[in-house]
Amino acid sequence: MNEFNIFLAQGFLHILDLKGYDHILFLFAICAIFSITDWKQLLWIISSFTIAHSISLALSVTQIMVFDTGIIEFLIAFTILFTCVENIFLKKLHHYRMVLSFGFGLIHGLGFSLMLKDLFMGMEFNLLNTLLPFNLGLEAGQIIIIAVIMTLIYLLRNFAGIKNNTVTYIISIPVGIQAAFWMVQRWPF
């Protein structure tokens, strides 16, 4: 298997690894306010997140940007909590979800870069053979996760008869509690 395929598989497997479920919970939080019919808006939001984390992943792995691991892990938990709070209490910010997701993507990309550096210590990174396929693998896995989340939301709303706001609460409250716990656990200061 060539280097491109190895990094593609590693990106895909990383995002689907349940040990790193903070990103999966973040995707739940992002999707909680949407329905299947909002797929275009959700696509723009996820695309802004993807573009941002691709940028920060490349800048961090190539050592152009260097950040403290503890602060990044804390900020990842913060992005999850903030998204949950926004879902419930800050509905006026929903119009800015694409901008917020871009900013949060920058933070998550730095988190991905920390993992990537640990996973491939000592290997030389280049954009075409390592970073691009790793990122493509992440995105393929992320699309699968979002499809599963949106299917679950669809089933809750259309077959279980749960109202939109209730579905948002069912997702946002436990995810927000977990994120708050992580923030305490990861407090870097």
Side-chain angles (χ1 to χ4, degrees):
M1 185 182 275
N2 68 21
E3 192 175 66
F4 187 95
N5 290 336
I6 291 169
F7 278 85
L8 182 70
Q10 286 301 320
F12 184 77
L13 294 173
H14 171 70
I15 199 73
L16 296 176
D17 184 358
L18 294 180
K19 288 183 241 165
Y21 66 98
D22 54 352
H23 186 70
I24 294 171
L25 291 184
F26 180 68
L27 293 174
F28 263 101
I30 285 179
C31 293
I33 63 171
F34 294 103
S35 67
I36 296 278
T37 59
D38 300 321
W39 69 270
K40 287 181 185 176
Q41 186 179 3
L42 183 59
L43 180 64
W44 281 107
I45 290 166
I46 295 300
S47 295
S48 73
F49 177 83
T50 298
I51 290 166
H53 86 65
S54 299
I55 292 167
S56 62
L57 175 65
L59 292 174
S60 180
V61 168
T62 56
Q63 301 293 320
I64 294 171
M65 288 175 47
V66 179
F67 287 92
D68 179 78
T69 304
I71 292 172
I72 296 305
E73 291 300 320
F74 174 80
L75 289 174
I76 288 171
F78 171 79
T79 65
I80 299 167
L81 178 61
F82 183 89
T83 303
C84 292
V85 169
E86 180 208 345
N87 286 347
I88 297 170
F89 300 110
L90 305 172
K91 294 179 182 182
K92 289 183 180 182
L93 292 180
H94 291 178
H95 299 292
Y96 303 101
R97 179 67 58 106
M98 192 165 70
V99 173
L100 291 169
S101 292
F102 184 87
F104 294 165
L106 292 172
I107 295 167
H108 283 250
L110 295 172
F112 287 139
S113 75
L114 298 171
M115 187 284 314
L116 186 61
K117 288 176 190 174
D118 288 344
L119 190 61
F120 298 104
M121 284 177 61
M123 291 183 75
E124 187 174 318
F125 293 100
N126 67 57
L127 293 176
L128 290 178
N129 290 333
T130 55
L131 291 178
L132 176 64
F134 183 80
N135 208 32
L136 290 173
L138 284 174
E139 294 321 309
Q142 184 168 268
I143 289 168
I144 290 170
I145 293 166
I146 290 169
V148 169
I149 292 169
M150 293 310 297
T151 300
L152 290 172
I153 289 172
Y154 177 81
L155 293 173
L156 287 172
R157 290 181 178 151
N158 296 302
F159 290 102
I162 300 173
K163 294 180 181 179
N164 291 345
N165 284 342
T166 305
V167 170
T168 299
Y169 296 152
I170 288 170
I171 294 170
S172 298
I173 292 171
V175 171
I177 290 169
Q178 178 62 54
F181 174 74
W182 281 330
M183 285 178 69
V184 170
Q185 197 176 45
R186 299 172 180 181
W187 183 256
F189 306 106

